[in-house]
Amino acid sequence: MTAFDEMMAGDGTRPPYAEFHRWLSGQPDDLLVTKSSDAEEVFRRTGITFAVYGEEQATERLIPFDILPRILSATEWARLAAGIEQRVRAINSFLHDIYHRQEIIRAGIVPLDLIATNDAFLPQMIGLTPPGGIYTHIVGTDIVRTAENEFQVLEDNCRTPSGVSYMLENRETMMQLFPELFIQNRVEPIEDYPKHLRRSLAAARPQRTTDHPTVAVLTPGVNNSAYYEHAFLADQMGVQLVEGRDLRVVDGHVAMRTIEGYRRIDVLYRRIDDDYLDPLSFRPDSVLGVPGIMDVYRAGKITIANAPGTGVADDKAVYSYMPDIIRFYTGDAPILSNIPTMRCSEPDTLAHVLDRLDELVVKEVHGSGGYGMLVGPAASSAERAAFAEKLKARPANYIAQPTLALSTCPVLTKAGLAPRHVDLRPFALVGDGIRIVPGGLTRVALKPGSLVVNSSQGGGTKDTWVLRDGPGGTATAAASAPGIRFPAPQQPDPPDPAAAPAPPGQTEAGQ
């Protein structure tokens, strides 16, 4: 398969890269090597790291960063932003529906078993409407490109999407190293993301809360793979970073410990998994959460972002129904298409997948971080045979997709510039509207020929540029939509009486 080259087209340079390519062609050979070393030093000095589980040595690593930007035109971005906004609306509507009337199941569009037997579906959320009707306050949508005008959604990240700190630090580093390029190329700014994040979280505060709600970020602690990001975002928003041991329920509210006593929290941006959130409602052995927080949540006295139970929308089997989900809730065709997805839970499909393991990519329905997957064309016969046994043992735990020729962007290697496959994770914020930062985190597979971009699997990141449209630059794709609201809180329906854990935080998406 021939991959689409995002910088070069035929014998020339694609328009979004024209200015950058002219600059690049005029630079001395050793400039990029020097600048790359400077960037690594910036990352080392700043402490931009991620953790890798299951390794005895070097568990804290610098995030690999390539200094050649990925560049999108305003027109390309406008389409992406519109498609992401449409998807975010549909996902929130879907989550509200499955925890209430389940109209999409009644309509026969999504099968009941897919939800009822889903590990991420929480019976504790049945009949409960979060403040503002918002389930996913922060959404990371992974997008791949396969042709000039072909963008497809790879997966949705609705639980605790990570990576935005790397996006912001990548931009800060590039502006330090190449300030002139941002003038020449009229790049859309992204530095207001923390301000927009706090605004969105504050807008989702519970009813009868003051106009200045107290916001905090809940982290599992320093041993979590994304702790750097938790601390970074709390600092950038100017809010407290707390652990479960800092919190308790006081007078029917969640409060955090301060030097002046306990202070009430109105909005908690949690970066821990559902299972660890409340030992009285979920895992009784959890020491990471807050005993009783779900009772406060049910009473409408705290906003938890993202809402518990949103992980069902991350499920890769649910993903296979997403085009129908979008049509059901929006009445429109999807702007961004899905990758064709086969559900191994279906016997005929399982047989088809087993016959073609050497051609397909097979993933766990709840997998993240590049773990638990098989890239058939890159796997050995022994690896495929071992994976086939896993498929036969638990077919409903897997989906399969064709191996795509992901687009490439140039990266700096020891031998010079070389193409590497990339994907893109834009971030959408939902509060008083839907805001999508112009760009996102570009992840790049640094190994030659690899399609796995996750940093835990040897991938790296790039700065993502969205160019302004027209002379002087007019921002066209910030996707800010003030006044857009999800369903207002309703009287909760009566709760339904019927109703190998990962290490804490391992399900943080995007590593």
Side-chain angles (χ1 to χ4, degrees):
M1 294 183 291
T2 302
F4 173 70
D5 189 320
E6 296 198 10
M7 185 165 80
M8 307 303 295
D11 296 329
T13 307
R14 293 187 61 248
Y17 282 85
E19 191 66 38
F20 175 76
H21 189 256
R22 278 194 292 270
W23 173 88
L24 186 63
S25 300
Q27 303 309 308
D29 293 341
D30 60 349
L31 175 72
L32 295 182
V33 175
T34 300
K35 292 291 188 179
S36 184
S37 297
D38 292 344
E40 183 175 329
E41 181 56 33
V42 169
F43 273 51
R44 191 179 306 279
R45 188 170 60 248
T46 308
I48 306 171
T49 62
F50 69 98
V52 178
Y53 291 109
E55 296 187 8
E56 296 181 357
Q57 297 178 339
T59 56
E60 286 291 332
R61 299 179 181 176
L62 289 179
I63 187 81
F65 174 61
D66 181 72
I67 63 171
L68 301 180
R70 183 196 196 166
I71 307 176
L72 298 170
S73 70
T75 300
E76 290 169 335
W77 175 248
R79 180 189 169 200
L80 288 176
I84 295 165
E85 180 178 333
Q86 179 193 52
R87 203 170 181 97
V88 169
R89 287 176 176 278
I91 287 172
N92 270 277
S93 297
F94 169 70
L95 288 166
H96 185 277
D97 186 24
I98 64 170
Y99 286 115
H100 291 82
R101 292 186 57 81
Q102 300 186 342
E103 297 288 358
I104 198 166
I105 296 174
R106 297 168 189 256
I109 294 173
V110 171
L112 174 62
D113 286 351
L114 182 65
I115 305 301
T117 63
N118 196 303
D119 291 341
F121 180 77
L122 297 184
Q124 295 90 337
M125 288 293 293
I126 292 175
L128 196 162
T129 301
I134 303 171
Y135 288 81
T136 55
H137 307 76
I138 303 98
V139 182
T141 305
D142 291 348
I143 296 172
V144 296
R145 187 176 197 172
T146 54
E148 177 81 35
N149 297 308
E150 187 61 40
F151 294 92
Q152 295 176 293
V153 175
L154 181 64
E155 63 182 54
D156 303 289
N157 298 288
C158 305
R159 283 171 292 182
T160 52
S162 66
V164 74
S165 62
Y166 304 139
M167 175 192 77
L168 294 169
E169 291 287 15
N170 288 353
R171 175 59 56 85
E172 178 66 23
T173 300
M174 288 292 288
M175 292 185 74
Q176 290 183 40
L177 298 177
F178 306 105
E180 71 281 5
L181 288 179
F182 290 88
I183 298 173
Q184 297 171 10
N185 289 273
R186 305 191 313 278
V187 181
E188 289 279 12
I190 62 172
E191 61 268 18
D192 284 343
Y193 177 89
K195 179 179 73 176
H196 292 314
L197 174 59
R198 179 164 184 175
R199 176 178 172 178
S200 294
L201 292 172
R205 63 189 180 275
Q207 290 183 334
R208 298 182 297 278
T209 303
T210 67
D211 290 338
H212 302 286
T214 299
V215 178
V217 177
L218 174 62
T219 177
V222 296
N223 294 321
N224 183 262
S225 63
Y227 179 76
Y228 168 81
E229 176 156 299
H230 307 166
F232 175 88
L233 290 175
D235 178 67
Q236 293 292 306
M237 287 193 290
V239 304
Q240 291 297 316
L241 179 69
V242 297
E243 298 182 31
R245 61 187 177 183
D246 301 318
L247 307 177
R248 66 170 54 173
V249 175
V250 178
D251 296 329
H253 294 272
V254 175
M256 62 181 172
R257 182 173 52 194
T258 72
I259 59 174
E260 298 176 349
Y262 278 87
R263 178 185 177 188
R264 190 177 85 182
I265 293 174
D266 302 301
V267 181
L268 190 64
Y269 177 20
R270 55 92 176 222
R271 297 295 292 259
I272 70 174
D273 298 339
D274 290 344
D275 284 347
Y276 298 91
L277 191 57
D278 184 344
L280 300 183
S281 294
F282 306 116
R283 285 188 56 151
D285 61 340
S286 172
V287 296
L288 301 177
V290 187
I293 190 174
M294 285 300 293
D295 290 333
V296 178
Y297 188 54
R298 292 186 191 98
K301 294 182 179 180
I302 191 171
T303 294
I304 300 176
N306 289 342
T310 55
V312 68
D314 289 0
D315 182 285
K316 292 177 178 61
V318 171
Y319 161 92
S320 68
Y321 290 92
M322 193 56 65
D324 293 328
I325 289 172
I326 291 172
R327 291 186 184 94
F328 185 79
Y329 294 111
T330 70
D332 297 319
I335 296 171
L336 298 175
S337 62
N338 266 27
I339 296 169
T341 301
M342 293 166 275
R343 296 181 286 271
C344 297
S345 58
E346 300 168 0
D348 290 346
T349 300
L350 175 62
H352 174 85
V353 171
L354 290 171
D355 285 343
R356 292 168 174 79
L357 274 184
D358 60 334
E359 304 172 6
L360 301 171
V361 176
V362 187
K363 304 175 182 178
E364 291 182 346
V365 294
H366 289 300
S368 64
Y371 295 102
M373 65 183 289
L374 175 81
V375 181
S380 66
S381 297
E383 289 170 333
R384 290 195 293 269
F387 206 93
E389 295 306 312
K390 295 181 182 180
L391 265 174
K392 295 173 186 177
R394 297 186 63 195
N397 194 48
Y398 296 93
I399 56 94
Q401 296 172 331
T403 304
L404 301 177
L406 305 187
S407 64
T408 64
C409 289
V411 303
L412 180 66
T413 72
K414 293 180 179 180
L417 302 188
R420 294 291 187 269
H421 297 292
V422 294
D423 78 354
L424 177 66
R425 175 175 291 180
F427 295 91
L429 300 173
V430 184
D432 55 346
I434 300 176
R435 293 178 175 81
I436 306 172
V437 66
L441 179 68
T442 287
R443 302 183 300 178
V444 54
L446 295 176
K447 298 176 182 177
S450 174
L451 297 172
V452 182
V453 300
N454 308 80
S455 56
S456 56
Q457 307 293 313
T461 66
K462 284 176 169 286
D463 190 16
T464 308
W465 294 2
V466 172
L467 302 184
R468 296 182 179 182
D469 194 13
T474 301
T476 62
S480 177
I484 296 174
R485 297 291 290 177
F486 289 99
Q490 306 169 10
Q491 290 297 321
D493 299 333
D496 187 340
Q506 262 203 4
T507 56
E508 285 255 355
Q511 298 305 314

